[in-house]
């Protein structure tokens, strides 16, 4: 998540989610209303500290310099960002994650250079302004069959009601923004997930 996904203090939201049991966090400060420059850095540092205090991995989306300055545990990139291959070379000690949205992207991806795939949007979502079409959980089965040892994280439109179907399709995890950040009771939402 980023501040643009939060209706109140992102630090408070992350702290509640971490206390309730989320297992990793990705700082994704982008899109309408997101912070830039120094403000983005300060928020990133504060969220990074929360993850450190609670011993969960901290990922940065896209922003390589920020990932470096904040000593992130991992970097997540999309198809149009810095290549995962280059990131692997530059950051041998960070996790590198890559998004794939369809078969064409998958076959053109440097699978052997990434630590996990973010697959989605699984369901339709309004959180990502330029999201591609929803692909449904079944595609995860095909990817798992083709790359059995590659960790897969489903993303996009995942809620307490449909998260189980993503795991049942073979995903190793689910990545969630709005169903946590906008939940009336974050603790309850995370516990249900
Ligand atoms: N990538 C694919 S869908 C998505 C991203 C970043 C948005 C996920 O947000 P939500 O609110 O969990 O659908
Ligand atoms: Mg990107």
């Amino acid at each position: 998540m980023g501040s643009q996904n939060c209706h109140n203090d992102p630090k408070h939201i992350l702290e509640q989610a971490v206390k309730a049991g989320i297992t990793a966090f990705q700082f994704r400060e982008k899109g309408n209303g997101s912070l830039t420059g120094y403000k983005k850095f300060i928020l990133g540092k504060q969220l990074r500290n929360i993850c450190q205090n609670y011993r969960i991995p901290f990922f940065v989306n896209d922003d390589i310099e920020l990932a470096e300055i904040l000593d992130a545990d991992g970097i997540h990139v999309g198809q149009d960002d810095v290549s995962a291959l280059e990131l692997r070379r530059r950051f041998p000690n960070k996790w590198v994650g890559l998004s794939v949205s369809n078969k064409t992207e998958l076959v053109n991806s440097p699978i052997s250079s990434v630590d996990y795939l973010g697959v989605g949007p699984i369901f339709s979502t309004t959180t990502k302004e330029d999201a591609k079409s929803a692909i449904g959980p079944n595609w995860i089965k095909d990817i798992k069959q083709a790359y059995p040892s590659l960790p897969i994280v489903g993303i996009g439109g995942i809620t307490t009601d449909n998260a189980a179907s993503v795991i049942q399709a073979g995903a190793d995890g689910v990545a969630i923004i709005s169903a946590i950040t906008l939940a009336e009771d974050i603790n309850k939402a995370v516990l249900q997930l």
Side-chain angles (χ1 to χ4, degrees), residues 119-128 131 134-136 153-159 162 166 174-178:
V119 176
I122 303 291
F123 305 108
S124 68
T125 178
T126 53
T127 304
K128 183 175 158 77
I135 36 117
V153 179
I155 186 166
I158 298 175
T159 65
N162 62 24
V166 183
V174 286
I176 289 164
I177 301 178
S178 56

Side-chain angles (χ1 to χ4, degrees), residues 19-192:
K19 278 184 179 162
I22 63 162
T23 52
F25 174 71
Q26 182 190 130
F27 184 43
R28 183 180 176 279
E29 188 69 29
K30 69 196 290 189
N32 268 341
S34 56
L35 303 173
T36 56
Y38 188 64
K39 286 185 174 169
K40 178 181 177 184
F41 162 71
I42 290 296
L43 177 61
K45 192 163 176 56
Q46 292 168 327
L47 299 179
R48 202 279 171 272
N49 287 343
I50 293 170
C51 291
Q52 217 146 30
N53 290 343
Y54 289 91
R55 306 240 177 323
I56 67 160
F58 174 86
F59 290 75
V60 170
N61 184 285
D62 276 9
D63 191 332
I64 316 304
E65 271 62 52
L66 188 65
E68 207 161 17
I69 299 172
L70 296 180
D71 191 25
D73 303 294
I75 306 179
H76 187 93
V77 287
Q79 294 285 324
D80 302 326
D81 304 317
V82 178
S83 91
L85 207 67
E86 189 188 322
L87 288 178
R88 174 79 300 145
R89 269 189 233 118
R90 194 162 147 191
F91 301 108
N93 300 321
K94 290 193 197 303
W95 284 308
V96 173
L98 175 68
S99 296
V100 294
S101 299
N102 53 55
K103 286 176 188 170
T104 314
E105 290 181 359
L106 181 67
V107 297
N108 291 312
S109 292
I111 298 295
S112 59
S113 298
V114 304
D115 295 297
Y116 71 93
L117 285 181
V119 176
I122 303 291
F123 305 108
S124 68
T125 178
T126 53
T127 304
K128 183 175 158 77
E129 288 133 28
D130 58 349
K132 295 174 188 156
S133 317
I135 36 117
N138 270 338
W139 188 40
I140 293 172
K141 289 185 187 156
D142 301 340
I143 305 179
K144 262 290 165 191
Q145 212 155 40
Y147 307 99
S149 60
L150 179 66
I152 290 177
V153 179
I155 186 166
I158 298 175
T159 65
T160 49
D161 293 329
N162 62 24
S165 70
V166 183
I167 299 295
Q168 276 152 12
D172 299 278
V174 286
I176 289 164
I177 301 178
S178 56
I180 294 176
T181 63
L182 302 182
E184 256 174 57
D185 184 336
I186 289 177
N187 179 59
K188 188 173 153 202
V190 173
L191 288 179
Q192 281 176 345

